[in-house]
Every structure is written in structure tokens, then in C-alpha cells.
Amino acid sequence: MRQMEENMVVQQFLDRVCKQVRTRQMHPEIREELLGHIEERAELLILKGLPEELAVQDAVKQMGDPGDIGKSLHLAHRPQLDWKLLIMLALFLIIGLVGMLSVYYADERYSVSLVERKLFYFGIGVLFLIGFYFLDYRKLKQYSAPVFIFIVILMAISLVYGQLHDIRTNYINIGHMGVNIITFSLIPLLLALAGMKPASQWGRWETVLNILYRGVLPVVLYSISGSIIYTYIYVIGFLVLTWRTSKSLKQFAMISTLPFAGLAIFLCTRTDHLLFRWREFTNPSAKEMWYMGNNADAIQAAGWFGQGFGQVTPKIPYVLYDNVFPYLIYCFGWLFGIVIGVLILLFLVRLWNISTVHKDPYGKHIAAALIVVFGFRLLWPLLMGLGILPRVTLEPPFFSYSGMNQILDMAAVGLLLSIYRRKNMIPSEVGEAAPMKVA
């Protein structure tokens, strides 16, 4: 049988269907799929004795009205908003704002500028979230390597020249704002890794170079900064992305050796610090372990419904940062703490769903990287506040004061929304197209 796509009747049918579908990048896949259905039906009619031309015309008629088919396909491939993810983000931000207002009313040391700055960063974060939602995330892939290089250079500069208010720190001043590059760098680095050449395509020497460049160099920089937890999160994120793109278990084992060795060496140089944190964790009631002990006392005093909005903090340190969860539980109770924990788990499950339902490998890798980042940054402070995990310096996103990191976190959620928005707008790989329902 001659080429079906050259038949005028078939061409007109496919054109009328695709005219209804606004997602143009799906047109080739739609045409190919519908063409396959027409060919199957035409072949059956030819076997029944119909001439080829009549068989093709009847096969097209059996497909149904092209306008109706096109409208149904348009609905299937139109942009979608992940309302569940957006609602959970809104709840996180509202809880964080209420907690900050409670601190402001409870402690006269905080001025109204605290609220103003929080709202300022919130407003900028919303703009970034909207911008990344409408941005086609696939366009960012081509900038992955330059972004990785740029962030690594910024980390090195902050470690050598960083300061804030004439004090030596890892901050870089941008206008009137100081940005902690070490905490700020984690999401851009892992997102850049998600878009770089996959491990399965590395040659022998390319593998060595990438292990040193992508794996060891950031670990060294995080180690120099003294941040154990950020070093650990980066290593886990690097290994997750490498595992997803490696061609064999042997290659993955080889790639993971040096980053793990760098992490182990760094931990060996911090044994005194680690032992202190362990003693604090195992014996929070000791006088010198006031940090964990005060958190435990506050949570025990909370009760099921808490002490109420605007209560004076019972010696909880860093209530706007690392210990926002213990303070929220103290004010609003154990039941409120359970609600927060459930919301966090649902948020992470939602990220996992995005990483599994999407067709595009790049979108899957972005979601996987953000699961690692948000998983650690949400669960560790919560479990740390409850005394289940040792103390680290790690601010939970969305809930804490954050500043510039809040803008970055909301931009990352906007990127996730962009991925979900296009989950039905990206053509499948050859042989993976889902079957279409026709009349």
C-alpha cells in the first residue's frame, strides 16, 4: 500500500485534528499516532476486499469527527497548573509569616522592619515563582555548564573575600543585601548538574574529569566553609543524579568513590565538633547542652494546643531560623506540629510524583534534585527540633525568615510548576507514545 500520509483525505483529516491542538510540538506525535490507527483500519478493510482508495476513505470515516478528536486532544495536551503543590506552598508561607509575626509581638527586640523585610522578600519570591512557572524550563538546560562554573567561582570568592558588616563570613554583598553564597549555592549547583551531560555518555578521561570537577571540587569548597550538612546534602544530590544517569553499577561505584572519600576526610577533621554535637544530642538536659535542652523544654510545655500566639520565646535560640519549628509547636501545640509534619511529607510526595509522571528526563532530574534539597532542609530541622536528629545549622525553607534564600526557594517551586505545566505538552520518545483513544 502506498504511503498513507500522501493521501489527500488523510492529510485533510490530520490537518483538521491538529488545527484544534494549540500545543504545536505535539503535532508530529499526534499525526504519527492517528496515522497508525488509520493504517491499521485500512489494512483490515483491504483484506475484506475493498479497493485501497475506498478502504482509506472508510478508515478515516471510522476515526470519527476530526474536530471532536482535536478538541479532546487539546484538552489532554494543554498547560496544567499543579494546584496541590501551589496550595501546600501557600500554607507553608502563611505558617512562616504567622510564626514571624508571633515572634515580633512576643519580643520587643524585633522592630517592624523585620516584618517589612519578610514581606519584601515574599513579594520578590512570588514574582520569581510566576516568572519560572511561565518559563519553558527546557531552555535552562543549555546554560547548565556556565551556571555550574559561575556558582563554583562565587563560592571560591566568598570563601576568600566574603564579609558582612566588616566581619569575615561567607557572605557577598549585593547592594544593601548580604547573600550567604554557601547556602545559596546548593540549589543552583544541583540544578546545573541535572542539565549537564549524563554519566552514561562519559568517556574514560571524561569520567575522571567530571568526578573531580562535579564531585570533588564542590565538596572541597563546602568543606572549607565548615558546613557539614551542606557538604553532605551536595554529596547525596550528586550521587542521586549520577545514579539516575549512569550506565552501570560499576560506573556508579567508581564515580561515587572520590566524593565519598572527600566527605570522609572532611568529617575526620571535625571530630571534636561532631563529638560535641553527639553529646548534646544524647544528653540535652546537661547544663552545657542548653540548645537542645531549651527546645525540648519548650516542646514539652506546649501541650496539644500550645501557649498561644505572640508568646514570649522560652529561651529558644534562633527562632526565626533553625528553630522555627520548636517555636511554632510551643505557640500552637503538638497537634499543629503533627499537621506541619504531614504537610511536609505530602509536599515531598508531590515532588516525587512530578519526577515519575513526566516524560522528559531533564524534568525528572530537576525534580529529583529538589527532592533531595527540600527533603533535607524541611525534615532535618523538624526532627532536630523534636530531638530526633542532632543539631545542625540548617534553615527550613518557606517557614524561616530566610531572606534571599526564600526568593531562590520560591523560584525552585516555580520551576517545578513549569515542569508539571508541560507534562502533557512534551512529545514522547520514539516508541513510548501513549495510545490515543479514538472513536
Side-chain angles (χ1 to χ4, degrees), residues 117-118 120-122 124-126 128 154 164 171-185 187-188 230 321 377 395-398 400-412:
R117 287 197 298 269
K118 177 71 174 179
F120 170 77
Y121 288 120
F122 172 79
I124 299 297
V126 169
F128 271 83
L154 276 184
L164 183 67
Y171 281 74
I172 289 181
N173 293 316
I174 302 178
H176 297 289
M177 296 182 295
V179 182
N180 187 331
I181 298 299
I182 297 303
T183 61
F184 186 84
S185 63
I187 288 179
Y230 276 88
Y321 301 98
R377 292 176 59 210
E395 299 176 24
F398 316 123
S400 63
Y401 175 68
S402 294
M404 284 295 293
N405 282 341
Q406 177 173 286
I407 298 175
L408 181 63
D409 293 332
M410 293 182 69

mmCIF file of all heavy atoms in Angstrom, residues 117-118 120-122 124-126 128 154 164 171-185 187-188 230 321 377 395-398 400-412:
data_model
loop_
_atom_site.group_PDB
_atom_site.id
_atom_site.type_symbol
_atom_site.label_atom_id
_atom_site.label_comp_id
_atom_site.label_asym_id
_atom_site.label_seq_id
_atom_site.Cartn_x
_atom_site.Cartn_y
_atom_site.Cartn_z
ATOM 1 N N ARG A 117 10.761 43.500 55.807
ATOM 2 C CA ARG A 117 11.729 42.766 55.000
ATOM 3 C C ARG A 117 11.173 41.399 54.582
ATOM 4 O O ARG A 117 11.388 40.948 53.458
ATOM 5 C CB ARG A 117 13.043 42.610 55.764
ATOM 6 C CG ARG A 117 13.847 43.891 55.875
ATOM 7 C CD ARG A 117 15.289 43.597 56.255
ATOM 8 N NE ARG A 117 15.370 42.955 57.563
ATOM 9 C CZ ARG A 117 15.514 43.598 58.719
ATOM 10 N NH1 ARG A 117 15.565 44.923 58.712
ATOM 11 N NH2 ARG A 117 15.589 42.950 59.862
ATOM 12 N N LYS A 118 10.495 40.735 55.519
ATOM 13 C CA LYS A 118 9.893 39.442 55.203
ATOM 14 C C LYS A 118 8.895 39.578 54.058
ATOM 15 O O LYS A 118 8.899 38.770 53.113
ATOM 16 C CB LYS A 118 9.203 38.884 56.441
ATOM 17 C CG LYS A 118 8.468 37.564 56.230
ATOM 18 C CD LYS A 118 9.416 36.414 56.019
ATOM 19 C CE LYS A 118 8.666 35.086 55.951
ATOM 20 N NZ LYS A 118 9.556 33.942 55.733
ATOM 21 N N PHE A 120 8.823 41.965 51.853
ATOM 22 C CA PHE A 120 9.560 42.358 50.644
ATOM 23 C C PHE A 120 10.103 41.117 49.936
ATOM 24 O O PHE A 120 9.920 40.955 48.718
ATOM 25 C CB PHE A 120 10.702 43.306 51.023
ATOM 26 C CG PHE A 120 11.660 43.572 49.892
ATOM 27 C CD1 PHE A 120 11.320 44.447 48.875
ATOM 28 C CD2 PHE A 120 12.900 42.944 49.859
ATOM 29 C CE1 PHE A 120 12.206 44.688 47.830
ATOM 30 C CE2 PHE A 120 13.788 43.183 48.828
ATOM 31 C CZ PHE A 120 13.441 44.057 47.810
ATOM 32 N N TYR A 121 10.786 40.247 50.685
ATOM 33 C CA TYR A 121 11.326 39.023 50.079
ATOM 34 C C TYR A 121 10.195 38.127 49.582
ATOM 35 O O TYR A 121 10.333 37.448 48.549
ATOM 36 C CB TYR A 121 12.193 38.266 51.085
ATOM 37 C CG TYR A 121 13.510 38.934 51.379
ATOM 38 C CD1 TYR A 121 13.849 39.338 52.672
ATOM 39 C CD2 TYR A 121 14.425 39.170 50.361
ATOM 40 C CE1 TYR A 121 15.059 39.956 52.938
ATOM 41 C CE2 TYR A 121 15.643 39.795 50.621
ATOM 42 C CZ TYR A 121 15.940 40.184 51.912
ATOM 43 O OH TYR A 121 17.147 40.797 52.165
ATOM 44 N N PHE A 122 9.085 38.112 50.296
ATOM 45 C CA PHE A 122 7.941 37.321 49.869
ATOM 46 C C PHE A 122 7.416 37.825 48.518
ATOM 47 O O PHE A 122 7.143 37.029 47.607
ATOM 48 C CB PHE A 122 6.829 37.404 50.924
ATOM 49 C CG PHE A 122 5.530 36.780 50.486
ATOM 50 C CD1 PHE A 122 5.350 35.407 50.528
ATOM 51 C CD2 PHE A 122 4.491 37.575 50.030
ATOM 52 C CE1 PHE A 122 4.156 34.837 50.117
ATOM 53 C CE2 PHE A 122 3.290 37.018 49.622
ATOM 54 C CZ PHE A 122 3.124 35.646 49.664
ATOM 55 N N ILE A 124 9.040 39.577 46.173
ATOM 56 C CA ILE A 124 10.003 39.259 45.115
ATOM 57 C C ILE A 124 9.943 37.770 44.783
ATOM 58 O O ILE A 124 10.015 37.372 43.612
ATOM 59 C CB ILE A 124 11.432 39.655 45.549
ATOM 60 C CG1 ILE A 124 11.504 41.163 45.821
ATOM 61 C CG2 ILE A 124 12.441 39.259 44.481
ATOM 62 C CD1 ILE A 124 11.228 42.018 44.621
ATOM 63 N N GLY A 125 9.800 36.926 45.818
ATOM 64 C CA GLY A 125 9.713 35.488 45.587
ATOM 65 C C GLY A 125 8.508 35.111 44.748
ATOM 66 O O GLY A 125 8.599 34.226 43.882
ATOM 67 N N VAL A 126 7.361 35.761 44.979
ATOM 68 C CA VAL A 126 6.158 35.493 44.184
ATOM 69 C C VAL A 126 6.402 35.837 42.719
ATOM 70 O O VAL A 126 5.998 35.098 41.809
ATOM 71 C CB VAL A 126 4.958 36.283 44.744
ATOM 72 C CG1 VAL A 126 3.781 36.230 43.771
ATOM 73 C CG2 VAL A 126 4.547 35.738 46.104
ATOM 74 N N PHE A 128 9.275 35.815 41.126
ATOM 75 C CA PHE A 128 10.149 34.784 40.566
ATOM 76 C C PHE A 128 9.384 33.482 40.330
ATOM 77 O O PHE A 128 9.602 32.794 39.327
ATOM 78 C CB PHE A 128 11.341 34.537 41.498
ATOM 79 C CG PHE A 128 12.517 35.418 41.215
ATOM 80 C CD1 PHE A 128 12.580 36.703 41.726
ATOM 81 C CD2 PHE A 128 13.552 34.969 40.424
ATOM 82 C CE1 PHE A 128 13.655 37.531 41.462
ATOM 83 C CE2 PHE A 128 14.638 35.790 40.138
ATOM 84 C CZ PHE A 128 14.693 37.072 40.667
ATOM 85 N N LEU A 154 31.775 31.835 42.442
ATOM 86 C CA LEU A 154 31.221 32.645 43.524
ATOM 87 C C LEU A 154 31.534 32.040 44.890
ATOM 88 O O LEU A 154 31.847 32.767 45.843
ATOM 89 C CB LEU A 154 29.703 32.760 43.358
ATOM 90 C CG LEU A 154 29.154 33.831 42.418
ATOM 91 C CD1 LEU A 154 27.633 33.844 42.475
ATOM 92 C CD2 LEU A 154 29.703 35.210 42.774
ATOM 93 N N LEU A 164 30.489 40.453 55.953
ATOM 94 C CA LEU A 164 29.206 41.094 56.213
ATOM 95 C C LEU A 164 29.379 41.995 57.425
ATOM 96 O O LEU A 164 29.779 41.542 58.500
ATOM 97 C CB LEU A 164 28.117 40.038 56.472
ATOM 98 C CG LEU A 164 26.703 40.579 56.685
ATOM 99 C CD1 LEU A 164 26.180 41.211 55.394
ATOM 100 C CD2 LEU A 164 25.764 39.457 57.145
ATOM 101 N N TYR A 171 29.539 35.591 53.185
ATOM 102 C CA TYR A 171 28.572 36.451 52.509
ATOM 103 C C TYR A 171 29.257 37.292 51.429
ATOM 104 O O TYR A 171 30.418 37.689 51.557
ATOM 105 C CB TYR A 171 27.897 37.392 53.503
ATOM 106 C CG TYR A 171 26.808 36.761 54.327
ATOM 107 C CD1 TYR A 171 27.114 35.884 55.362
ATOM 108 C CD2 TYR A 171 25.471 37.047 54.077
ATOM 109 C CE1 TYR A 171 26.115 35.300 56.126
ATOM 110 C CE2 TYR A 171 24.468 36.472 54.846
ATOM 111 C CZ TYR A 171 24.793 35.607 55.864
ATOM 112 O OH TYR A 171 23.797 35.037 56.615
ATOM 113 N N ILE A 172 28.491 37.577 50.376
ATOM 114 C CA ILE A 172 28.875 38.555 49.365
ATOM 115 C C ILE A 172 27.794 39.628 49.339
ATOM 116 O O ILE A 172 26.600 39.321 49.272
ATOM 117 C CB ILE A 172 29.025 37.903 47.970
ATOM 118 C CG1 ILE A 172 30.268 37.012 47.936
ATOM 119 C CG2 ILE A 172 29.111 38.970 46.881
ATOM 120 C CD1 ILE A 172 30.505 36.349 46.587
ATOM 121 N N ASN A 173 28.198 40.866 49.417
ATOM 122 C CA ASN A 173 27.245 41.974 49.451
ATOM 123 C C ASN A 173 26.760 42.296 48.041
ATOM 124 O O ASN A 173 27.559 42.499 47.120
ATOM 125 C CB ASN A 173 27.887 43.213 50.065
ATOM 126 C CG ASN A 173 28.193 43.009 51.535
ATOM 127 O OD1 ASN A 173 27.366 42.485 52.273
ATOM 128 N ND2 ASN A 173 29.379 43.416 51.959
ATOM 129 N N ILE A 174 25.436 42.314 47.883
ATOM 130 C CA ILE A 174 24.805 42.723 46.626
ATOM 131 C C ILE A 174 23.930 43.926 46.945
ATOM 132 O O ILE A 174 22.817 43.779 47.456
ATOM 133 C CB ILE A 174 23.975 41.577 46.022
ATOM 134 C CG1 ILE A 174 24.861 40.353 45.770
ATOM 135 C CG2 ILE A 174 23.301 42.040 44.737
ATOM 136 C CD1 ILE A 174 24.092 39.160 45.223
ATOM 137 N N GLY A 175 24.448 45.122 46.673
ATOM 138 C CA GLY A 175 23.751 46.335 47.068
ATOM 139 C C GLY A 175 23.697 46.420 48.582
ATOM 140 O O GLY A 175 24.714 46.355 49.269
ATOM 141 N N HIS A 176 22.481 46.556 49.130
ATOM 142 C CA HIS A 176 22.305 46.633 50.578
ATOM 143 C C HIS A 176 22.039 45.262 51.200
ATOM 144 O O HIS A 176 21.795 45.165 52.401
ATOM 145 C CB HIS A 176 21.137 47.576 50.912
ATOM 146 C CG HIS A 176 21.370 48.996 50.479
ATOM 147 N ND1 HIS A 176 22.289 49.816 51.105
ATOM 148 C CD2 HIS A 176 20.822 49.720 49.479
ATOM 149 C CE1 HIS A 176 22.281 51.002 50.519
ATOM 150 N NE2 HIS A 176 21.392 50.972 49.518
ATOM 151 N N MET A 177 22.066 44.222 50.384
ATOM 152 C CA MET A 177 21.776 42.879 50.873
ATOM 153 C C MET A 177 23.037 42.023 50.889
ATOM 154 O O MET A 177 23.888 42.134 50.005
ATOM 155 C CB MET A 177 20.715 42.202 50.001
ATOM 156 C CG MET A 177 19.357 42.877 50.019
ATOM 157 S SD MET A 177 18.137 41.999 49.016
ATOM 158 C CE MET A 177 18.828 42.206 47.368
ATOM 159 N N GLY A 178 23.143 41.198 51.922
ATOM 160 C CA GLY A 178 24.229 40.242 52.003
ATOM 161 C C GLY A 178 23.712 38.846 51.702
ATOM 162 O O GLY A 178 22.689 38.427 52.239
ATOM 163 N N VAL A 179 24.384 38.128 50.814
ATOM 164 C CA VAL A 179 23.951 36.792 50.406
ATOM 165 C C VAL A 179 24.977 35.770 50.863
ATOM 166 O O VAL A 179 26.167 35.886 50.527
ATOM 167 C CB VAL A 179 23.777 36.696 48.881
ATOM 168 C CG1 VAL A 179 23.284 35.302 48.487
ATOM 169 C CG2 VAL A 179 22.812 37.765 48.383
ATOM 170 N N ASN A 180 24.534 34.804 51.654
ATOM 171 C CA ASN A 180 25.406 33.699 52.060
ATOM 172 C C ASN A 180 25.537 32.746 50.877
ATOM 173 O O ASN A 180 24.634 31.955 50.589
ATOM 174 C CB ASN A 180 24.824 32.977 53.269
ATOM 175 C CG ASN A 180 25.777 31.939 53.836
ATOM 176 O OD1 ASN A 180 26.590 31.361 53.120
ATOM 177 N ND2 ASN A 180 25.691 31.699 55.132
ATOM 178 N N ILE A 181 26.650 32.825 50.176
ATOM 179 C CA ILE A 181 26.819 32.070 48.941
ATOM 180 C C ILE A 181 26.823 30.568 49.198
ATOM 181 O O ILE A 181 26.353 29.790 48.358
ATOM 182 C CB ILE A 181 28.119 32.498 48.230
ATOM 183 C CG1 ILE A 181 28.040 33.986 47.861
ATOM 184 C CG2 ILE A 181 28.353 31.666 46.979
ATOM 185 C CD1 ILE A 181 26.910 34.326 46.918
ATOM 186 N N ILE A 182 27.319 30.145 50.339
ATOM 187 C CA ILE A 182 27.387 28.708 50.622
ATOM 188 C C ILE A 182 25.981 28.112 50.707
ATOM 189 O O ILE A 182 25.704 27.065 50.108
ATOM 190 C CB ILE A 182 28.166 28.453 51.922
ATOM 191 C CG1 ILE A 182 29.612 28.937 51.774
ATOM 192 C CG2 ILE A 182 28.150 26.965 52.275
ATOM 193 C CD1 ILE A 182 30.371 28.324 50.614
ATOM 194 N N THR A 183 25.066 28.760 51.417
ATOM 195 C CA THR A 183 23.700 28.242 51.499
ATOM 196 C C THR A 183 22.930 28.497 50.206
ATOM 197 O O THR A 183 22.071 27.698 49.818
ATOM 198 C CB THR A 183 22.952 28.876 52.680
ATOM 199 O OG1 THR A 183 22.872 30.304 52.481
ATOM 200 C CG2 THR A 183 23.681 28.608 53.987
ATOM 201 N N PHE A 184 23.243 29.600 49.540
ATOM 202 C CA PHE A 184 22.553 29.968 48.304
ATOM 203 C C PHE A 184 22.937 29.057 47.145
ATOM 204 O O PHE A 184 22.154 28.861 46.211
ATOM 205 C CB PHE A 184 22.881 31.422 47.960
ATOM 206 C CG PHE A 184 22.127 31.976 46.789
ATOM 207 C CD1 PHE A 184 20.854 32.497 46.953
ATOM 208 C CD2 PHE A 184 22.683 31.980 45.525
ATOM 209 C CE1 PHE A 184 20.145 33.019 45.876
ATOM 210 C CE2 PHE A 184 21.994 32.496 44.444
ATOM 211 C CZ PHE A 184 20.724 33.017 44.621
ATOM 212 N N SER A 185 24.127 28.475 47.194
ATOM 213 C CA SER A 185 24.689 27.764 46.035
ATOM 214 C C SER A 185 24.098 26.381 45.810
ATOM 215 O O SER A 185 24.182 25.841 44.702
ATOM 216 C CB SER A 185 26.207 27.618 46.220
ATOM 217 O OG SER A 185 26.491 26.812 47.364
ATOM 218 N N ILE A 187 21.050 24.833 45.573
ATOM 219 C CA ILE A 187 20.040 24.586 44.539
ATOM 220 C C ILE A 187 20.588 24.849 43.132
ATOM 221 O O ILE A 187 20.438 23.995 42.245
ATOM 222 C CB ILE A 187 18.771 25.422 44.806
ATOM 223 C CG1 ILE A 187 18.024 24.846 46.020
ATOM 224 C CG2 ILE A 187 17.856 25.436 43.593
ATOM 225 C CD1 ILE A 187 16.766 25.605 46.397
ATOM 226 N N PRO A 188 21.246 25.997 42.865
ATOM 227 C CA PRO A 188 21.786 26.205 41.507
ATOM 228 C C PRO A 188 22.782 25.128 41.085
ATOM 229 O O PRO A 188 22.770 24.698 39.925
ATOM 230 C CB PRO A 188 22.461 27.576 41.608
ATOM 231 C CG PRO A 188 21.756 28.268 42.705
ATOM 232 C CD PRO A 188 21.407 27.207 43.698
ATOM 233 N N TYR A 230 25.716 20.963 54.547
ATOM 234 C CA TYR A 230 25.640 21.299 53.129
ATOM 235 C C TYR A 230 26.587 20.439 52.303
ATOM 236 O O TYR A 230 26.284 20.106 51.154
ATOM 237 C CB TYR A 230 25.925 22.785 52.910
ATOM 238 C CG TYR A 230 24.697 23.639 53.106
ATOM 239 C CD1 TYR A 230 24.361 24.130 54.368
ATOM 240 C CD2 TYR A 230 23.855 23.941 52.054
ATOM 241 C CE1 TYR A 230 23.212 24.892 54.562
ATOM 242 C CE2 TYR A 230 22.716 24.704 52.230
ATOM 243 C CZ TYR A 230 22.396 25.172 53.492
ATOM 244 O OH TYR A 230 21.265 25.918 53.676
ATOM 245 N N TYR A 321 15.085 31.191 62.476
ATOM 246 C CA TYR A 321 15.941 30.458 61.545
ATOM 247 C C TYR A 321 15.855 28.954 61.821
ATOM 248 O O TYR A 321 14.866 28.310 61.499
ATOM 249 C CB TYR A 321 17.378 30.985 61.654
ATOM 250 C CG TYR A 321 17.482 32.460 61.345
ATOM 251 C CD1 TYR A 321 17.520 33.410 62.367
ATOM 252 C CD2 TYR A 321 17.521 32.915 60.030
ATOM 253 C CE1 TYR A 321 17.595 34.766 62.073
ATOM 254 C CE2 TYR A 321 17.590 34.267 59.734
ATOM 255 C CZ TYR A 321 17.637 35.194 60.758
ATOM 256 O OH TYR A 321 17.702 36.528 60.467
ATOM 257 N N ARG A 377 16.217 19.899 53.971
ATOM 258 C CA ARG A 377 16.026 21.211 54.595
ATOM 259 C C ARG A 377 14.693 21.339 55.328
ATOM 260 O O ARG A 377 14.531 22.233 56.157
ATOM 261 C CB ARG A 377 16.173 22.305 53.545
ATOM 262 C CG ARG A 377 17.606 22.442 53.016
ATOM 263 C CD ARG A 377 17.694 23.457 51.913
ATOM 264 N NE ARG A 377 17.235 24.766 52.368
ATOM 265 C CZ ARG A 377 16.660 25.655 51.572
ATOM 266 N NH1 ARG A 377 16.438 25.363 50.296
ATOM 267 N NH2 ARG A 377 16.287 26.816 52.038
ATOM 268 N N GLU A 395 18.433 26.157 57.919
ATOM 269 C CA GLU A 395 17.146 26.849 57.985
ATOM 270 C C GLU A 395 16.119 26.144 57.103
ATOM 271 O O GLU A 395 16.408 25.844 55.942
ATOM 272 C CB GLU A 395 17.299 28.290 57.489
ATOM 273 C CG GLU A 395 18.255 29.139 58.297
ATOM 274 C CD GLU A 395 18.429 30.508 57.677
ATOM 275 O OE1 GLU A 395 17.507 30.927 56.934
ATOM 276 O OE2 GLU A 395 19.466 31.148 57.907
ATOM 277 N N PRO A 396 14.937 25.867 57.629
ATOM 278 C CA PRO A 396 13.896 25.260 56.776
ATOM 279 C C PRO A 396 13.361 26.266 55.776
ATOM 280 O O PRO A 396 13.094 27.421 56.123
ATOM 281 C CB PRO A 396 12.813 24.864 57.789
ATOM 282 C CG PRO A 396 13.019 25.768 58.951
ATOM 283 C CD PRO A 396 14.479 26.046 59.020
ATOM 284 N N PRO A 397 13.208 25.885 54.518
ATOM 285 C CA PRO A 397 12.664 26.811 53.524
ATOM 286 C C PRO A 397 11.200 27.116 53.801
ATOM 287 O O PRO A 397 10.482 26.311 54.400
ATOM 288 C CB PRO A 397 12.819 26.020 52.202
ATOM 289 C CG PRO A 397 12.822 24.592 52.620
ATOM 290 C CD PRO A 397 13.493 24.558 53.964
ATOM 291 N N PHE A 398 10.763 28.302 53.376
ATOM 292 C CA PHE A 398 9.372 28.765 53.448
ATOM 293 C C PHE A 398 8.945 29.164 54.866
ATOM 294 O O PHE A 398 8.211 30.120 55.033
ATOM 295 C CB PHE A 398 8.389 27.721 52.907
ATOM 296 C CG PHE A 398 8.828 27.065 51.628
ATOM 297 C CD1 PHE A 398 8.972 25.690 51.535
ATOM 298 C CD2 PHE A 398 9.119 27.838 50.509
ATOM 299 C CE1 PHE A 398 9.384 25.093 50.356
ATOM 300 C CE2 PHE A 398 9.530 27.247 49.324
ATOM 301 C CZ PHE A 398 9.660 25.865 49.256
ATOM 302 N N SER A 400 11.134 29.729 57.660
ATOM 303 C CA SER A 400 12.062 30.607 58.359
ATOM 304 C C SER A 400 12.112 31.983 57.706
ATOM 305 O O SER A 400 11.506 32.216 56.648
ATOM 306 C CB SER A 400 13.464 29.994 58.369
ATOM 307 O OG SER A 400 13.956 29.864 57.048
ATOM 308 N N TYR A 401 12.857 32.898 58.337
ATOM 309 C CA TYR A 401 12.975 34.265 57.817
ATOM 310 C C TYR A 401 13.652 34.266 56.446
ATOM 311 O O TYR A 401 13.217 34.920 55.521
ATOM 312 C CB TYR A 401 13.757 35.115 58.819
ATOM 313 C CG TYR A 401 14.031 36.508 58.325
ATOM 314 C CD1 TYR A 401 12.993 37.411 58.151
ATOM 315 C CD2 TYR A 401 15.326 36.912 58.025
ATOM 316 C CE1 TYR A 401 13.235 38.692 57.678
ATOM 317 C CE2 TYR A 401 15.578 38.191 57.567
ATOM 318 C CZ TYR A 401 14.533 39.077 57.392
ATOM 319 O OH TYR A 401 14.776 40.334 56.926
ATOM 320 N N SER A 402 14.742 33.552 56.302
ATOM 321 C CA SER A 402 15.407 33.219 55.040
ATOM 322 C C SER A 402 16.020 34.391 54.292
ATOM 323 O O SER A 402 17.212 34.433 54.077
ATOM 324 C CB SER A 402 14.455 32.474 54.108
ATOM 325 O OG SER A 402 14.122 31.226 54.652
ATOM 326 N N GLY A 403 15.224 35.375 53.858
ATOM 327 C CA GLY A 403 15.781 36.450 53.045
ATOM 328 C C GLY A 403 15.936 36.016 51.596
ATOM 329 O O GLY A 403 15.007 35.539 50.950
ATOM 330 N N MET A 404 17.166 36.141 51.070
ATOM 331 C CA MET A 404 17.424 35.813 49.670
ATOM 332 C C MET A 404 17.142 34.346 49.379
ATOM 333 O O MET A 404 16.714 34.003 48.271
ATOM 334 C CB MET A 404 18.879 36.144 49.327
ATOM 335 C CG MET A 404 19.148 37.616 49.133
ATOM 336 S SD MET A 404 18.288 38.328 47.702
ATOM 337 C CE MET A 404 19.124 37.483 46.366
ATOM 338 N N ASN A 405 17.362 33.471 50.336
ATOM 339 C CA ASN A 405 17.091 32.059 50.108
ATOM 340 C C ASN A 405 15.608 31.805 49.862
ATOM 341 O O ASN A 405 15.238 30.857 49.162
ATOM 342 C CB ASN A 405 17.573 31.222 51.294
ATOM 343 C CG ASN A 405 19.077 31.021 51.274
ATOM 344 O OD1 ASN A 405 19.715 31.186 50.237
ATOM 345 N ND2 ASN A 405 19.647 30.673 52.400
ATOM 346 N N GLN A 406 14.735 32.631 50.460
ATOM 347 C CA GLN A 406 13.305 32.472 50.218
ATOM 348 C C GLN A 406 12.972 32.748 48.761
ATOM 349 O O GLN A 406 12.146 32.048 48.164
ATOM 350 C CB GLN A 406 12.502 33.421 51.108
ATOM 351 C CG GLN A 406 11.000 33.361 50.849
ATOM 352 C CD GLN A 406 10.201 34.184 51.843
ATOM 353 O OE1 GLN A 406 10.025 33.810 52.995
ATOM 354 N NE2 GLN A 406 9.735 35.335 51.396
ATOM 355 N N ILE A 407 13.624 33.729 48.169
ATOM 356 C CA ILE A 407 13.414 34.018 46.746
ATOM 357 C C ILE A 407 13.838 32.828 45.904
ATOM 358 O O ILE A 407 13.128 32.398 44.983
ATOM 359 C CB ILE A 407 14.190 35.287 46.344
ATOM 360 C CG1 ILE A 407 13.670 36.497 47.125
ATOM 361 C CG2 ILE A 407 14.101 35.525 44.848
ATOM 362 C CD1 ILE A 407 14.457 37.770 46.876
ATOM 363 N N LEU A 408 15.009 32.268 46.226
ATOM 364 C CA LEU A 408 15.517 31.119 45.474
ATOM 365 C C LEU A 408 14.605 29.911 45.633
ATOM 366 O O LEU A 408 14.322 29.192 44.662
ATOM 367 C CB LEU A 408 16.935 30.787 45.933
ATOM 368 C CG LEU A 408 17.623 29.612 45.236
ATOM 369 C CD1 LEU A 408 17.792 29.912 43.751
ATOM 370 C CD2 LEU A 408 18.971 29.322 45.867
ATOM 371 N N ASP A 409 14.133 29.667 46.854
ATOM 372 C CA ASP A 409 13.255 28.519 47.090
ATOM 373 C C ASP A 409 11.948 28.651 46.325
ATOM 374 O O ASP A 409 11.440 27.673 45.758
ATOM 375 C CB ASP A 409 12.968 28.381 48.590
ATOM 376 C CG ASP A 409 14.203 28.013 49.392
ATOM 377 O OD1 ASP A 409 15.101 27.375 48.826
ATOM 378 O OD2 ASP A 409 14.271 28.381 50.575
ATOM 379 N N MET A 410 11.378 29.846 46.282
ATOM 380 C CA MET A 410 10.127 30.040 45.555
ATOM 381 C C MET A 410 10.357 29.949 44.051
ATOM 382 O O MET A 410 9.490 29.458 43.313
ATOM 383 C CB MET A 410 9.501 31.375 45.947
ATOM 384 C CG MET A 410 9.027 31.405 47.393
ATOM 385 S SD MET A 410 8.236 32.953 47.889
ATOM 386 C CE MET A 410 6.715 32.887 46.940
ATOM 387 N N ALA A 411 11.515 30.398 43.580
ATOM 388 C CA ALA A 411 11.848 30.223 42.162
ATOM 389 C C ALA A 411 11.952 28.737 41.822
ATOM 390 O O ALA A 411 11.524 28.303 40.742
ATOM 391 C CB ALA A 411 13.157 30.940 41.843
ATOM 392 N N ALA A 412 12.518 27.941 42.753
ATOM 393 C CA ALA A 412 12.630 26.494 42.528
ATOM 394 C C ALA A 412 11.252 25.848 42.439
ATOM 395 O O ALA A 412 11.020 24.967 41.608
ATOM 396 C CB ALA A 412 13.442 25.858 43.650
#
